[in-house]
Amino acid sequence: MQYDDTYYMQQALKEAQQAYDAGEVPVGAIVVMNNRIIARGHNQVEMLNDSTAHAEIIALTSAYNYLGSKYLPEATLYVTVEPCLMCCGALYWGKIGKIVYGADDEKNGYKHITQENWPFHPKTELVKGILAGECAELMRAFFRERR
Amino acid sequence: MQYDDTYYMQQALKEAQQAYDAGEVPVGAIVVMNNRIIARGHNQVEMLNDSTAHAEIIALTSAYNYLGSKYLPEATLYVTVEPCLMCCGALYWGKIGKIVYGADDEKNGYKHITQENWPFHPKTELVKGILAGECAELMRAFFRERR
């Protein structure tokens, strides 16, 4: 069975929900290759006391370990929120085949810094807005509770 | 005794030399707080098969672990080469107090993407060009051998 971007974003959302339940900013990511999830990650900045422990970094590192490769040209990373500059750079170095993200992040997303410059590998494909409403709502709910 | 930026950059260069000796792109980093080195790192992308294993990320993660804190507003990161976009984002999240780098990196340094935008924390101080010649020469020697 061929799953679509919406299905995989739902899986990334499950990761984001785990972050939410743990009191972490609710961002989730998965890495898919050949129609199979090979890695998962959710934000663990608070738990690890490590501001580099974003969902994407954890999912990427897990995928590299799993494959024994530092590049992922055949893989797709799904992430619930627009990547930040750090994760964007990590995806560049990983030569990821495709990035699919859900909600835009006006404050911390890469676009507010990189603007018109393409920060990813030239061959990386980018899709945005998949389940954007659900992905954004989880973030809003998190920050609403903390105000 | 109060050490200066040149002294600390020499320590970062020692880390870069370790990377060089291990066949890694020779970049080294250290984190200094209260005039003491609290963390060291050098590029380990090949050894770990992980394209996120840059010198800065390793040094930052080590500093977070050591301090039990995810922020480093009182610390300075010394790195031999201009940080890439990923490391630049990591330094932003870490709210690092000061960044000192040696050689510019026209190809992979953050500036070619961020251009006029300041990608670091508003309070982060930036110093560049310390031992730039030595830092750049180690990189040139590395890539010359591989041509």
Side-chain angles (χ1 to χ4, degrees), chain A residues 128-139:
Chain A
K128 40 186 144 172
I130 305 292
L131 298 181
E134 288 89 329
C135 294
E137 179 47 34
L138 199 58
M139 292 285 273

mmCIF file with all atom_site columns, all heavy atoms in Angstrom, chain A residues 128-139:
data_model
loop_
_atom_site.group_PDB
_atom_site.id
_atom_site.type_symbol
_atom_site.label_atom_id
_atom_site.label_alt_id
_atom_site.label_comp_id
_atom_site.label_asym_id
_atom_site.label_entity_id
_atom_site.label_seq_id
_atom_site.pdbx_PDB_ins_code
_atom_site.Cartn_x
_atom_site.Cartn_y
_atom_site.Cartn_z
_atom_site.occupancy
_atom_site.B_iso_or_equiv
_atom_site.pdbx_formal_charge
_atom_site.auth_seq_id
_atom_site.auth_comp_id
_atom_site.auth_asym_id
_atom_site.auth_atom_id
_atom_site.pdbx_PDB_model_num
ATOM 1  N N   . LYS A 1 128 ? 4.891  22.127 1.531  1.00 0.00 ? 128 LYS A N   1
ATOM 2  C CA  . LYS A 1 128 ? 4.458  22.681 2.819  1.00 0.00 ? 128 LYS A CA  1
ATOM 3  C C   . LYS A 1 128 ? 2.945  22.743 2.928  1.00 0.00 ? 128 LYS A C   1
ATOM 4  O O   . LYS A 1 128 ? 2.235  22.657 1.933  1.00 0.00 ? 128 LYS A O   1
ATOM 5  C CB  . LYS A 1 128 ? 5.057  24.061 3.041  1.00 0.00 ? 128 LYS A CB  1
ATOM 6  C CG  . LYS A 1 128 ? 5.122  24.980 1.853  1.00 0.00 ? 128 LYS A CG  1
ATOM 7  C CD  . LYS A 1 128 ? 5.885  26.262 2.207  1.00 0.00 ? 128 LYS A CD  1
ATOM 8  C CE  . LYS A 1 128 ? 6.713  26.774 1.045  1.00 0.00 ? 128 LYS A CE  1
ATOM 9  N NZ  . LYS A 1 128 ? 7.315  28.075 1.271  1.00 0.00 ? 128 LYS A NZ  1
ATOM 10 N N   . GLY A 1 129 ? 2.478  22.875 4.162  1.00 0.00 ? 129 GLY A N   1
ATOM 11 C CA  . GLY A 1 129 ? 1.041  23.084 4.375  1.00 0.00 ? 129 GLY A CA  1
ATOM 12 C C   . GLY A 1 129 ? 0.239  21.812 4.602  1.00 0.00 ? 129 GLY A C   1
ATOM 13 O O   . GLY A 1 129 ? -0.986 21.886 4.746  1.00 0.00 ? 129 GLY A O   1
ATOM 14 N N   . ILE A 1 130 ? 0.896  20.659 4.656  1.00 0.00 ? 130 ILE A N   1
ATOM 15 C CA  . ILE A 1 130 ? 0.150  19.409 4.874  1.00 0.00 ? 130 ILE A CA  1
ATOM 16 C C   . ILE A 1 130 ? -0.325 19.354 6.334  1.00 0.00 ? 130 ILE A C   1
ATOM 17 O O   . ILE A 1 130 ? 0.488  19.424 7.254  1.00 0.00 ? 130 ILE A O   1
ATOM 18 C CB  . ILE A 1 130 ? 1.044  18.174 4.565  1.00 0.00 ? 130 ILE A CB  1
ATOM 19 C CG1 . ILE A 1 130 ? 1.620  18.242 3.148  1.00 0.00 ? 130 ILE A CG1 1
ATOM 20 C CG2 . ILE A 1 130 ? 0.265  16.880 4.793  1.00 0.00 ? 130 ILE A CG2 1
ATOM 21 C CD1 . ILE A 1 130 ? 0.627  18.107 2.034  1.00 0.00 ? 130 ILE A CD1 1
ATOM 22 N N   . LEU A 1 131 ? -1.635 19.249 6.527  1.00 0.00 ? 131 LEU A N   1
ATOM 23 C CA  . LEU A 1 131 ? -2.241 19.277 7.881  1.00 0.00 ? 131 LEU A CA  1
ATOM 24 C C   . LEU A 1 131 ? -1.785 20.502 8.685  1.00 0.00 ? 131 LEU A C   1
ATOM 25 O O   . LEU A 1 131 ? -1.607 20.415 9.907  1.00 0.00 ? 131 LEU A O   1
ATOM 26 C CB  . LEU A 1 131 ? -1.946 17.979 8.651  1.00 0.00 ? 131 LEU A CB  1
ATOM 27 C CG  . LEU A 1 131 ? -2.495 16.681 8.059  1.00 0.00 ? 131 LEU A CG  1
ATOM 28 C CD1 . LEU A 1 131 ? -2.133 15.494 8.955  1.00 0.00 ? 131 LEU A CD1 1
ATOM 29 C CD2 . LEU A 1 131 ? -4.012 16.746 7.908  1.00 0.00 ? 131 LEU A CD2 1
ATOM 30 N N   . ALA A 1 132 ? -1.602 21.596 7.995  1.00 0.00 ? 132 ALA A N   1
ATOM 31 C CA  . ALA A 1 132 ? -1.092 22.812 8.641  1.00 0.00 ? 132 ALA A CA  1
ATOM 32 C C   . ALA A 1 132 ? -1.960 23.234 9.827  1.00 0.00 ? 132 ALA A C   1
ATOM 33 O O   . ALA A 1 132 ? -1.441 23.648 10.867 1.00 0.00 ? 132 ALA A O   1
ATOM 34 C CB  . ALA A 1 132 ? -1.010 23.952 7.620  1.00 0.00 ? 132 ALA A CB  1
ATOM 35 N N   . GLY A 1 133 ? -3.276 23.101 9.683  1.00 0.00 ? 133 GLY A N   1
ATOM 36 C CA  . GLY A 1 133 ? -4.180 23.517 10.752 1.00 0.00 ? 133 GLY A CA  1
ATOM 37 C C   . GLY A 1 133 ? -3.938 22.728 12.038 1.00 0.00 ? 133 GLY A C   1
ATOM 38 O O   . GLY A 1 133 ? -3.758 23.305 13.118 1.00 0.00 ? 133 GLY A O   1
ATOM 39 N N   . GLU A 1 134 ? -3.895 21.409 11.912 1.00 0.00 ? 134 GLU A N   1
ATOM 40 C CA  . GLU A 1 134 ? -3.688 20.546 13.090 1.00 0.00 ? 134 GLU A CA  1
ATOM 41 C C   . GLU A 1 134 ? -2.316 20.820 13.713 1.00 0.00 ? 134 GLU A C   1
ATOM 42 O O   . GLU A 1 134 ? -2.168 20.880 14.929 1.00 0.00 ? 134 GLU A O   1
ATOM 43 C CB  . GLU A 1 134 ? -3.763 19.058 12.709 1.00 0.00 ? 134 GLU A CB  1
ATOM 44 C CG  . GLU A 1 134 ? -5.160 18.551 12.381 1.00 0.00 ? 134 GLU A CG  1
ATOM 45 C CD  . GLU A 1 134 ? -5.520 18.705 10.921 1.00 0.00 ? 134 GLU A CD  1
ATOM 46 O OE1 . GLU A 1 134 ? -5.032 19.677 10.266 1.00 0.00 ? 134 GLU A OE1 1
ATOM 47 O OE2 . GLU A 1 134 ? -6.288 17.875 10.416 1.00 0.00 ? 134 GLU A OE2 1
ATOM 48 N N   . CYS A 1 135 ? -1.305 20.947 12.854 1.00 0.00 ? 135 CYS A N   1
ATOM 49 C CA  . CYS A 1 135 ? 0.071  21.161 13.353 1.00 0.00 ? 135 CYS A CA  1
ATOM 50 C C   . CYS A 1 135 ? 0.163  22.484 14.108 1.00 0.00 ? 135 CYS A C   1
ATOM 51 O O   . CYS A 1 135 ? 0.773  22.559 15.178 1.00 0.00 ? 135 CYS A O   1
ATOM 52 C CB  . CYS A 1 135 ? 1.058  21.149 12.190 1.00 0.00 ? 135 CYS A CB  1
ATOM 53 S SG  . CYS A 1 135 ? 1.187  19.529 11.366 1.00 0.00 ? 135 CYS A SG  1
ATOM 54 N N   . ALA A 1 136 ? -0.451 23.525 13.571 1.00 0.00 ? 136 ALA A N   1
ATOM 55 C CA  . ALA A 1 136 ? -0.417 24.846 14.201 1.00 0.00 ? 136 ALA A CA  1
ATOM 56 C C   . ALA A 1 136 ? -1.241 24.850 15.485 1.00 0.00 ? 136 ALA A C   1
ATOM 57 O O   . ALA A 1 136 ? -0.862 25.460 16.484 1.00 0.00 ? 136 ALA A O   1
ATOM 58 C CB  . ALA A 1 136 ? -0.939 25.906 13.235 1.00 0.00 ? 136 ALA A CB  1
ATOM 59 N N   . GLU A 1 137 ? -2.385 24.151 15.465 1.00 0.00 ? 137 GLU A N   1
ATOM 60 C CA  . GLU A 1 137 ? -3.272 24.167 16.629 1.00 0.00 ? 137 GLU A CA  1
ATOM 61 C C   . GLU A 1 137 ? -2.590 23.546 17.847 1.00 0.00 ? 137 GLU A C   1
ATOM 62 O O   . GLU A 1 137 ? -2.750 24.016 18.974 1.00 0.00 ? 137 GLU A O   1
ATOM 63 C CB  . GLU A 1 137 ? -4.589 23.453 16.321 1.00 0.00 ? 137 GLU A CB  1
ATOM 64 C CG  . GLU A 1 137 ? -5.576 23.382 17.464 1.00 0.00 ? 137 GLU A CG  1
ATOM 65 C CD  . GLU A 1 137 ? -5.791 24.717 18.214 1.00 0.00 ? 137 GLU A CD  1
ATOM 66 O OE1 . GLU A 1 137 ? -5.739 25.781 17.578 1.00 0.00 ? 137 GLU A OE1 1
ATOM 67 O OE2 . GLU A 1 137 ? -6.002 24.678 19.444 1.00 0.00 ? 137 GLU A OE2 1
ATOM 68 N N   . LEU A 1 138 ? -1.802 22.503 17.616 1.00 0.00 ? 138 LEU A N   1
ATOM 69 C CA  . LEU A 1 138 ? -1.084 21.854 18.724 1.00 0.00 ? 138 LEU A CA  1
ATOM 70 C C   . LEU A 1 138 ? -0.089 22.841 19.347 1.00 0.00 ? 138 LEU A C   1
ATOM 71 O O   . LEU A 1 138 ? 0.041  22.934 20.572 1.00 0.00 ? 138 LEU A O   1
ATOM 72 C CB  . LEU A 1 138 ? -0.358 20.612 18.202 1.00 0.00 ? 138 LEU A CB  1
ATOM 73 C CG  . LEU A 1 138 ? 0.079  19.565 19.235 1.00 0.00 ? 138 LEU A CG  1
ATOM 74 C CD1 . LEU A 1 138 ? -1.090 19.031 20.041 1.00 0.00 ? 138 LEU A CD1 1
ATOM 75 C CD2 . LEU A 1 138 ? 0.804  18.403 18.542 1.00 0.00 ? 138 LEU A CD2 1
ATOM 76 N N   . MET A 1 139 ? 0.592  23.609 18.513 1.00 0.00 ? 139 MET A N   1
ATOM 77 C CA  . MET A 1 139 ? 1.529  24.631 19.005 1.00 0.00 ? 139 MET A CA  1
ATOM 78 C C   . MET A 1 139 ? 0.768  25.710 19.789 1.00 0.00 ? 139 MET A C   1
ATOM 79 O O   . MET A 1 139 ? 1.171  26.097 20.882 1.00 0.00 ? 139 MET A O   1
ATOM 80 C CB  . MET A 1 139 ? 2.260  25.287 17.833 1.00 0.00 ? 139 MET A CB  1
ATOM 81 C CG  . MET A 1 139 ? 3.218  24.384 17.106 1.00 0.00 ? 139 MET A CG  1
ATOM 82 S SD  . MET A 1 139 ? 4.756  24.099 18.050 1.00 0.00 ? 139 MET A SD  1
ATOM 83 C CE  . MET A 1 139 ? 5.752  25.500 17.508 1.00 0.00 ? 139 MET A CE  1
#
